[in-house]
């Protein structure tokens, strides 16, 4: 008999992930703050609950997919109020590694195991069940979670003790953010100096400068299409997590700090809902040049 899975947080990521668990044959008890996605998932076969506490009471394993550390901490209070010893909680949200460690410690005091298991791969990965999942926590808890996570992702790695999954996710977000900024600056310089930006991406892609950002966001850069994808505001939150962790461990992260300020600027300009490739628009404004045009014009 498969374990009953509780699922809390049915947003862009959580709703399709919960759908994949249902399709893999797991009974799912679900809760979301706003009712619409819960109604949709109930039509797909999930059992609705009226609170996070009720989810924990009716499940063997509870998964959370919530925006940030405050929401996860708040929901965890409710989950622990409903959970019995021997339960497993898997937090798949992207939150602070320090908070993840504290929550796992609190859970353990109550006989509840907790894993941090943030993901990369975006909404498409969530829909197709091809997420990369980086897991921190106890080995036995990981072994128990593995078949469940296999319904959600393709690359599933146990990367260390509690909090380690969130540390690896922060590392991932640093590399993606700094790479988008580097590609944006290169495109603006090359284009303003008279070279076709598509040509720059082609040539750079064949050498040491080649990277997945240039492949996956190529069309966004060249067509100035900043429809998300991954929103500036969420990436800004993730860079704050990276910088807080840097403070805690004495790691300065200067390039991360710079890109965090640029994302802050985009948020203040009302572009927080755009894709993170919109960093290009700021690089263009600083240079007074829109890529792909011989004469300086501005998009904003
Ligand atoms: P989202 O805002 O679409 O979804 C969050 C859901 O949680 C919403 O449905 C909201 O109603 C619900 N919620 C909020 N507070 C709640 C509470 N107290 N109780 C119950 N439900 C509550 O966010 P998302 O894009 O699904 O992202 C979720 C997490 O995954 C974030 O930490 C994000 O950084 C991470 N992530 C997102 C992506 C992506 O591409 N969107 C990729 C990788 C990781």
């Amino acid at each position: 008999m498969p374990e009953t899975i509780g699922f809390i947080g049915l947003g862009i990521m959580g709703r399709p992930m919960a759908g994949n668990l249902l399709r893999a044959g797991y009974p799912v008890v679900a809760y979301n703050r706003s009712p619409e996605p819960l109604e949709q998932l109930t039509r797909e076969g999930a059992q609705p609950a009226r609170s996070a506490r009720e989810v924990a009471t009716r499940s063997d394993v509870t998964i959370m997919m919530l925006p940030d550390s405050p929401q996860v901490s708040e929901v965890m209070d409710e989950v622990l109020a409903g959970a019995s010893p021997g339960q497993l909680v898997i937090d798949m949200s992207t939150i602070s590694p320090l908070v993840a460690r504290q929550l796992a410690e609190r859970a353990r005091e109550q006989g509840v195991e907790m894993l941090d298991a943030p993901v990369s791969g975006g909404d498409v990965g969530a829909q197709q069940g091809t997420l990369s999942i980086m897991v921190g926590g106890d080995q036995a808890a990981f072994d128990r979670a593995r078949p469940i996570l296999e319904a959600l992702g393709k690359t599933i790695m146990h990367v260390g003790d509690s909090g380690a999954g969130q540390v690896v996710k922060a590392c991932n977000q640093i590399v993606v953010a700094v790479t988008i900024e580097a590609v944006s600056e290169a495109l603006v310089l090359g284009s303003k100096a008279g070279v076709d930006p598509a040509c720059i991406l082609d040539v750079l892609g064949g050498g040491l400068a080649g990277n997945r950002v240039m492949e996956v966001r190529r069309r966004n850069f060249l067509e100035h299409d900043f429809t998300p994808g991954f929103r500036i505001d969420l990436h800004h939150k993730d860079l704050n997590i990276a910088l807080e962790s840097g403070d805690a461990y004495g790691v300065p992260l200067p390039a991360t700090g710079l890109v965090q300020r640029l994302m802050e600027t985009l948020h203040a300009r009302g572009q927080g809902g755009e894709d993170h490739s919109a960093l290009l628009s700021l690089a263009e404004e600083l240079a007074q040049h829109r890529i792909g045009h011989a004469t300086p014009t501005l998009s904003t």
Side-chain angles (χ1 to χ4, degrees):
M1 201 39 200
E3 296 197 281
T4 298
I5 314 292
F7 208 108
I8 304 168
L10 304 172
I12 292 178
M13 300 293 286
R15 217 203 66 76
M17 288 164 70
N20 284 336
L21 289 170
L22 284 168
R23 276 185 289 283
Y26 286 100
V28 173
V29 179
Y31 173 69
N32 192 67
R33 198 173 45 188
S34 57
E36 301 81 12
L38 184 58
E39 284 160 15
Q40 285 172 19
L41 196 72
T42 304
R43 283 195 290 276
E44 288 175 37
Q47 303 159 47
R50 277 159 304 197
S51 67
R53 180 184 179 143
E54 188 188 326
V55 168
T57 309
R58 292 169 58 190
S59 310
D60 304 307
V61 176
T62 299
I63 296 179
M64 299 187 285
M65 195 51 169
L66 296 159
D68 197 359
S69 307
Q71 293 82 13
V72 171
S73 300
E74 181 195 313
V75 168
M76 193 62 189
D77 284 341
E78 283 196 61
V79 167
L80 287 179
S84 350
Q87 282 211 14
L88 172 63
V89 177
I90 309 174
D91 177 29
M92 303 193 75
S93 332
T94 304
I95 68 164
S96 152
L98 307 169
V99 173
R101 222 161 274 160
Q102 287 161 3
L103 292 176
E105 191 51 45
R106 257 183 53 209
R108 207 163 294 132
E109 283 164 11
Q110 222 180 288
V112 172
E113 275 300 332
M114 182 168 186
L115 296 170
D116 46 293
V119 306
S120 66
D123 55 333
V124 175
Q127 286 154 23
Q128 297 179 347
T130 56
L131 294 167
S132 290
I133 308 175
M134 37 222 118
V135 188
D138 185 69
Q139 180 70 47
F142 175 73
D143 293 341
R144 179 176 171 189
R146 194 181 183 100
I148 299 164
L149 298 178
E150 278 169 355
L152 304 173
K154 272 218 154 58
T155 307
I156 296 150
M157 278 197 71
H158 186 211
V159 294
D161 293 337
S162 292
Q166 297 295 353
V167 170
V168 175
K169 176 68 184 180
C171 296
N172 183 79
Q173 296 306 78
I174 290 172
V175 174
V176 174
V178 175
T179 304
I180 292 176
E181 178 58 18
V183 172
S184 298
E185 292 186 11
L187 287 175
V188 173
L189 173 65
S191 173
K192 196 170 182 185
V195 183
D196 176 11
C199 176
I200 295 168
L201 290 176
D202 289 342
V203 175
L204 266 54
L208 190 57
N211 61 71
R212 294 267 296 146
V213 162
M214 284 184 350
E215 290 169 30
V216 176
R217 293 290 188 260
R218 178 188 177 93
R219 196 191 60 76
N220 304 78
F221 289 129
L222 295 181
E223 296 179 12
H224 294 90
D225 178 1
F226 303 132
T227 313
F230 191 66
R231 284 184 281 124
I232 287 281
D233 281 347
L234 275 182
H235 209 149
H236 179 248
K237 171 208 57 145
D238 294 350
L239 293 188
N240 284 339
I241 289 171
L243 292 170
E244 275 167 33
S245 305
D247 284 345
Y249 291 102
V251 183
L253 305 175
T256 306
L258 173 65
V259 183
Q260 188 265 4
R261 299 323 291 171
L262 296 173
M263 287 193 178
E264 180 87 36
T265 307
L266 286 169
H267 171 81
R269 283 158 44 127
Q271 289 179 264
E274 294 185 3
D275 187 67
H276 47 184
S277 52
L279 277 168
L280 174 69
S281 65
L282 207 50
E284 289 180 324
E285 185 165 331
L286 292 173
Q288 295 289 294
H289 174 78
R290 182 178 161 96
I291 67 165
H293 289 259
T295 48
T297 53
L298 275 182
S299 58
T300 51

